Structures are given as C-alpha cells and as structure tokens.
Amino acid sequence: MPGLANGMHRKPLDDMHGIIVLRKLLSVWRIPASPDPIEYALVAGFLTLSAVAALPGVAMSVSAMFSSITSVLTPAVVGN
C-alpha cells in the first residue's frame, strides 16, 4: 500500500481490529431508545420548581379576589 513508511503493509486482521475498536467506541455514545429514570426525575424537579416559583403570584391573585368578594358580600350579609 502506498503511503506507509518503510515499505510496511497493513494486514487485513489489523483493519478488522480497527473496526472492532471503532464499534466499541461508538457503542459508548449510542443514544438510548427510551428516557432514563434520571430524565424523568429532572423533568419532575423542573416542574416542581416552576410551580413553586409561580405560587406566590397566584396566591396574591387569589387573596385579592377573595378580598374583593368579601368586600361585596359583607354589606349584603350585615344589611348595611
């Protein structure tokens, strides 16, 4: 084969060894077909943090809504 130093030639067995090593290396980087449990845990954690971050704003809105309802109903119940 031209391009090899000192007239050395590759053997077919050396080529097969390279292919086997390449396949083993590529198998490490293979993408799994289904999500792992850690991915489910990460999504659940993200949703939990999002809910916790949104709850103070929702709590203030609900509190304001109940205050408004109370201010309207109190005079009707008391009779003023």
Side-chain angles (χ1 to χ4, degrees):
M1 287 184 126
L4 293 176
N6 299 330
M8 296 175 64
H9 298 287
R10 287 188 150 187
K11 298 177 187 172
L13 188 59
D14 291 339
D15 290 339
M16 286 301 295
H17 177 70
I19 291 172
I20 292 170
V21 170
L22 181 61
R23 283 184 181 167
K24 286 187 180 191
L25 286 173
L26 290 176
S27 71
V28 172
W29 295 100
R30 187 175 303 154
I31 298 172
S34 62
D36 291 330
I38 189 71
E39 293 172 353
Y40 287 119
L42 289 172
V43 169
F46 175 74
L47 291 174
T48 302
L49 287 176
S50 300
V52 168
L55 283 179
V58 171
M60 295 299 285
S61 298
V62 170
S63 177
M65 182 177 62
F66 279 120
S67 294
S68 174
I69 292 170
T70 303
S71 67
V72 170
L73 290 180
T74 300
V77 172
V78 174
N80 290 335

